[in-house]
Amino acid sequence: MDTREILIYQNPDGNIKIYVRSEETVWLTQNQMALLFGKKKSTINEHILNVYA
C-alpha cells in the first residue's frame, strides 16, 4: 500500500506548517529546505557538510 499525505496550513499570522507522511523518501533541494526551516541556504549547506564530516 502506497501512503502519501502532504498537508499545508497557514494561520492568520502567515506562519506556514507542513505535515508530510510518506512511506517513501522525500527529497528537497537546499533552497526548499531553507524555505521550509526559515534559514539561509548557507546554513543548510553547513549542516549537510557536517553530516559528511
Side-chain angles (χ1 to χ4, degrees), residues 24-48:
E24 299 177 17
T25 301
V26 176
W27 293 95
L28 299 175
T29 65
Q30 290 180 3
N31 286 333
Q32 290 169 326
M33 286 187 276
L35 181 62
L36 175 63
F37 294 110
K39 300 292 181 183
K40 294 180 181 177
K41 182 181 172 186
S42 60
T43 302
I44 301 301
N45 188 51
E46 179 182 341
H47 285 288
I48 291 171

Side-chain angles (χ1 to χ4, degrees), residues 9-17:
Y9 301 96
Q10 185 171 9
N11 68 13
D13 295 333
N15 294 322
I16 297 173
K17 301 286 183 186

Side-chain angles (χ1 to χ4, degrees), residues 4-20:
R4 293 180 193 161
E5 181 178 22
I6 299 175
L7 302 173
I8 302 173
Y9 301 96
Q10 185 171 9
N11 68 13
D13 295 333
N15 294 322
I16 297 173
K17 301 286 183 186
I18 299 174
Y19 171 78
V20 178

